[in-house]
Amino acid sequence: MRRRRLIVLLIALLAVMGAGAFAVLAANSTHGSPEKTAESYFTAWRRGDVQAMSRLVFQVPDDFMARHLSLSSSLRVDAIELAPGTLTMTGEESAEVPFSGRRKLRELGWWEFQGTLRLAVREKGWHVLWTPETLHPLLKDNGILELATVQAPSVELVTSEGERFPENSYAEYYLEKLADAYPHKKGTALQAILPDDSTQTLISKVSKPKAQKTTLSRAVQAAAARALDGVSDAAIVAIRSSTGEILGVADRLEGGSKAFTSLFPPGSTFKTVVAAALMGTGLSGSSQVECPATYQIPGFRSFRNAGAADRGTISFTEAFAHSCNTTFVEEATTRMEPGDLIEAAAPWGFRGLRLPTGAGGACGQIPEPEKLNLDWFGEAVIGQASVQATPLCMAAVAAAVESGVWRSPRLLPADEAADLEGPPLRDVELDTDVAEGLREMMRAVVEYGTAAGAGLPEGVAGKTGTAEVDTQSEHGWFIGYRDDLAFCVFVRNGGSGRSAAVPIAARFLQGL
């Protein structure tokens, strides 16, 4: 009996010792595992059970639930998919699980993202270490995700052939102006506002813009752009003479200047307009005129030819071909009054009016000075004084010579351009004999005049121009046409038209 009591006592003692050892072991053990905790968190996240998620988070933030609900509500999230990667132990009591996910946004569809779930042992159990970037990496440091209404072009501008424009066409400014002229459509975008206050668009949805043809020809635009490669502060404008359609515009002018709107003294290219006015007084291409090295307007200033060239008595066509300043000054000041020049230039676009191309534009102007004397008149005759023109305007002058009609240039089909900027300026028909006389003169410029032997293709007719600029190098101009394509090449402060503009024109025409 005594022995039995001892056995019972021993068993009780062992039980007490075992219970104590178990209690000690239990007190020092870690509850759960990182794998199980991560699995439970992702399962609750997929269900949208934010309360269950919060129970797995160590020191859950006060705004934990609000952040989850607010993000889903503000982005209009209809579903979420999560794909955990392989868990990696980053220490004895820390781990992380990379995961990929995607949210289905009501307006934008599926949106993919990547994230990392971090875990650690806290208070003797595995918990999620939650921060806002667990929801999305861009929420770090108070980043914001939001839906925004965005504006998108309603049209995609294409060439006249219906093709997209190549990069580095140097027509980007005009295409942007055209696109901005059309009403924009509204769309939705998911944007991130980053800690530095910059905005990043993650995905967006807007209706597909319709293709809108311009008048720009892919071949002509490409040839113009490549002709200006390596050339700074210059522009080329090309126009279909018979319609006024702008076939190409390569604009590399600097300092905010633009070939459609910036005005420059046109130099001797303006002699095309003056020659037309002089033929209206009775001169013809065959008329004999004087081309001395210098000529002084009686009682006023003197003028000289480039290089002080003295050509004696020659035809008016030859005087035009060799750009005789003295001939033009003498003939104009003896046959016309200063006001006559302003009136004669108006039909050529020199009226200070805008040109409704679809992307804006201007032609030329001749502001009347306070003192309308012969000094001013002589300078205006050779494209100086207050005479100013855009490269677009001078291309239109060349187009008018070839076709016999001055037309308002445009970048869009006529009805489209009219809808955007109003009706074009009215066409102006040139006198038939005057137009033919100008064509003969411009052919002579290339055959034996100031543009001869410069590599221009056969069939080109044109006029060089060199415009003086106070304290700066001269502007170089060359206008011309061939086969229903009229053009203007302008090089600001590039030197003479012969040396600066004609070689570019040659490259342009040879590249067609």
Side-chain angles (χ1 to χ4, degrees):
M1 191 70 173
R2 182 179 177 185
R3 183 175 181 179
R4 183 180 297 173
R5 285 198 298 269
L6 288 174
I7 291 173
V8 171
L9 182 61
L10 179 61
I11 291 173
L13 179 61
L14 290 173
V16 170
M17 292 176 62
F22 178 80
V24 171
L25 181 63
N28 292 325
S29 66
T30 299
H31 299 294
S33 68
E35 292 85 359
K36 184 64 176 178
T37 302
E39 181 183 353
S40 297
Y41 189 87
F42 283 120
T43 299
W45 194 355
R46 292 188 189 98
R47 293 199 310 262
D49 190 346
V50 183
Q51 286 187 341
M53 295 165 64
S54 69
R55 289 193 290 268
L56 298 168
V57 175
F58 177 71
Q59 293 182 350
V60 59
D62 293 339
D63 62 350
F64 178 83
M65 183 175 293
R67 277 184 173 271
H68 280 78
L69 297 178
S70 174
L71 185 69
S72 295
S73 174
S74 63
L75 301 188
R76 305 196 219 356
V77 178
D78 287 336
I80 186 170
E81 294 180 356
L82 300 166
T86 302
L87 182 143
T88 302
M89 297 298 297
T90 57
E92 290 185 3
E93 294 186 338
S94 62
E96 63 181 26
V97 182
F99 65 92
S100 59
R102 62 176 189 161
R103 293 178 171 94
K104 188 175 184 180
L105 310 187
R106 196 168 305 154
E107 283 86 354
L108 298 173
W110 287 105
W111 164 48
E112 297 182 354
F113 66 101
Q114 305 291 323
T116 301
L117 185 70
R118 292 179 172 81
L119 306 103
V121 175
R122 295 290 187 272
E123 297 179 351
K124 299 180 182 180
W126 281 96
H127 292 81
V128 172
L129 301 182
W130 189 89
T131 57
E133 56 262 38
T134 309
L135 268 172
H136 192 280
L138 291 176
L139 294 175
K140 184 178 181 180
D141 297 329
N142 296 317
I144 299 172
L145 293 171
E146 64 179 14
L147 292 179
T149 299
V150 294
Q151 299 288 332
S154 59
V155 298
E156 179 186 11
L157 297 170
V158 295
T159 67
S160 59
E161 301 88 353
E163 300 177 15
R164 289 186 173 181
F165 287 93
E167 294 183 1
N168 299 321
S169 69
Y170 306 139
E172 289 79 7
Y173 170 82
Y174 301 95
L175 297 176
E176 290 175 6
K177 288 274 288 184
L178 281 178
D180 287 343
Y182 283 91
H184 279 44
K185 293 184 176 180
K186 291 183 178 180
T188 301
L190 173 61
Q191 296 181 337
I193 301 176
L194 304 179
D196 62 1
D197 290 331
S198 63
T199 300
Q200 177 183 340
T201 298
L202 305 177
I203 53 174
S204 62
K205 184 178 182 180
V206 293
S207 57
K208 185 178 179 180
K210 72 168 186 176
Q212 173 61 58
K213 288 185 178 181
T214 65
T215 60
L216 296 172
S217 158
R218 183 179 177 87
V220 176
Q221 184 62 45
R226 300 295 70 83
L228 286 189
D229 283 343
V231 180
S232 60
D233 219 359
I236 299 175
V237 179
I239 296 176
R240 192 186 305 280
S241 299
S242 59
T243 64
E245 296 169 296
I246 300 171
L247 301 180
V249 51
D251 191 340
R252 300 200 70 186
L253 293 175
E254 299 173 356
S257 296
K258 297 300 173 188
F260 281 17
T261 54
S262 297
L263 297 162
F264 306 95
S268 290
T269 58
F270 187 65
K271 289 175 182 170
T272 307
V273 175
V274 178
L278 288 173
M279 283 189 280
T281 69
L283 275 181
S284 69
S286 59
S287 297
Q288 297 297 292
V289 294
E290 298 298 320
C291 179
T294 61
Y295 172 76
Q296 181 171 3
I297 302 173
F300 292 89
R301 60 159 291 188
S302 64
F303 293 82
R304 64 189 294 274
N305 292 328
D310 185 344
R311 300 187 180 278
T313 302
I314 55 178
S315 71
F316 188 41
T317 294
E318 291 174 302
F320 184 92
H322 295 295
S323 203
C324 290
N325 290 336
T326 55
T327 301
F328 274 79
V329 172
E330 180 178 7
E331 294 298 329
T333 56
T334 56
R335 290 172 172 269
M336 301 165 59
E337 295 296 327
D340 296 339
L341 179 62
I342 297 175
E343 183 179 346
W348 296 85
F350 286 80
R351 288 175 281 173
L353 300 177
R354 67 179 185 87
L355 296 178
T357 65
C363 194
Q365 61 182 23
I366 310 178
E368 187 173 322
E370 292 183 6
K371 191 174 182 180
L372 198 63
N373 59 33
L374 294 186
D375 280 342
W376 174 87
F377 190 20
E379 292 176 8
V381 163
I382 57 175
Q384 300 283 167
S386 61
V387 180
Q388 294 180 310
T390 63
L392 173 65
C393 185
M394 296 315 296
V397 167
V401 173
E402 183 178 23
S403 69
V405 179
W406 185 93
R407 294 180 172 88
S408 187
R410 52 186 169 81
L411 274 168
L412 292 168
D415 56 343
E416 288 284 329
D419 286 344
L420 291 183
E421 286 201 281
L425 304 182
R426 64 180 181 84
D427 293 350
V428 179
E429 291 193 24
L430 306 184
D431 179 89
T432 303
D433 292 337
V434 168
E436 184 51 47
L438 291 173
R439 295 184 198 114
E440 179 184 352
M441 292 177 180
M442 292 179 75
R443 288 192 293 268
V445 169
V446 177
E447 291 172 2
Y448 59 81
T450 54
L456 292 166
E458 185 177 351
V460 176
K463 180 69 186 80
T464 58
T466 304
E468 296 178 357
V469 186
D470 290 342
T471 72
Q472 299 181 52
S473 299
E474 304 157 319
H475 299 325
W477 294 82
F478 185 58
I479 65 173
Y481 61 84
R482 183 186 68 164
D483 297 335
D484 202 25
L485 186 148
F487 59 87
C488 171
V489 176
F490 172 70
V491 186
R492 180 161 55 181
N493 305 127
S496 72
R498 162 80 186 199
S499 64
V502 173
I504 295 173
R507 290 199 299 273
F508 165 55
L509 295 169
Q510 290 165 358
L512 292 174

